[in-house]
Amino acid sequence: MRAAVERGRKARRGAQVKLSDVAKKVGVSPITISRALRNPEIVSEELRQTILRTVDEMGYIPNLAARALAGRHNGTVGVITPALHQYGFAGLMIGIEDRLRATEFGVQYSNTLHHADGEAGQLKSFLMQKPAGVIIAGAESYHDLLPLIENAACPIAHITDLSQEPERLVVGLDHHAAGAEPTRFLLSRGYQRIGFIGRGTDIRSRRRKEGYEAAMGEAGRFDPDLAIGGNEGSSTGLGRELFARLLQRVPDIDAVFAQSDDLALGVLIECGVRGIRVPEDFGICGFNDLEFSAFTEPSLTTVHIPRYDIGYRVADMLLRAVRDEPPGEDKVDCGFSIIPRGSTR
């Protein structure tokens, strides 16, 4: 029985379509097929279409390990992110993939779920595969990453809070300012007892909370009881729960700066249930400018982050480094903007 199973395994392995099989079917050399798959622009449109059609028909899958052994890299770009599961990452992902789509590089993702202790291990895992490059899209800490980055055989680009360590191949924004400015905006609209709702566990949220505290302190209105958070992921239900707890603690609160639009939506729903008038008696500002925020009633004031532009620019920066081209800029601040809508006076 065991011998029969082993023969079956060998048969399946033997049936795998090879590069030479595709070349024989097309009538060109294996090196032509290999080059055409890596750099489609080097062959004619007619031959390219023939090769792609034959690859699909035969079910050929390139051997990335073999490619890595034969060349400098395996043809993929690794992306390490803490938030692949969150709505806000979608814009970054689309920007990265749009920039790389017309190139010879594929994209592979790894999700840390905001666990700093797993970041170094995931970067090591990518580097062992000889990628063309890696994008670290929001590291919690660079303490264990910097030695790996300094000794990496491929370029590594970063999406960061601009206070973090990397100084080269960086695209990001100042999250301290992204916490302070919306708070000042709410103060300028006449709100005084402004709460802060958010996780506060990752570096970007912590920096925004520090910015909120600084702006409230400048106005002489800082009160630690006005800030509340939790360890769960952002959600509308969590927004309702945290706001209800905040009202019990500080009944005279008159506005909230929420660290995501889904948290802000939870606050808006709870206001409706309790008969709190928005924006007349209570102001709400969200963060991320997700699509639904423009269509709530009233619509949500929020902070717009150019997520697509950040993703596109960091992928372009990495691509230039992989191709040994000048990067243009080593460190780019993509900034943010406040979008005033119906949830604030």
Side-chain angles (χ1 to χ4, degrees), residues 168-171 313 317 320 326-333:
R168 184 174 177 274
L169 302 183
V170 173
V171 179
R313 293 181 75 169
M317 193 178 278
R320 289 173 179 270
E329 297 177 82
D330 273 337
K331 197 167 190 175
V332 177
D333 183 353

Side-chain angles (χ1 to χ4, degrees), residues 171-190:
V171 179
L173 62 133
D174 182 344
H175 283 271
H176 186 281
E181 289 305 315
T183 306
R184 294 189 186 107
F185 171 83
L186 289 168
L187 288 165
S188 74
R189 292 300 192 269

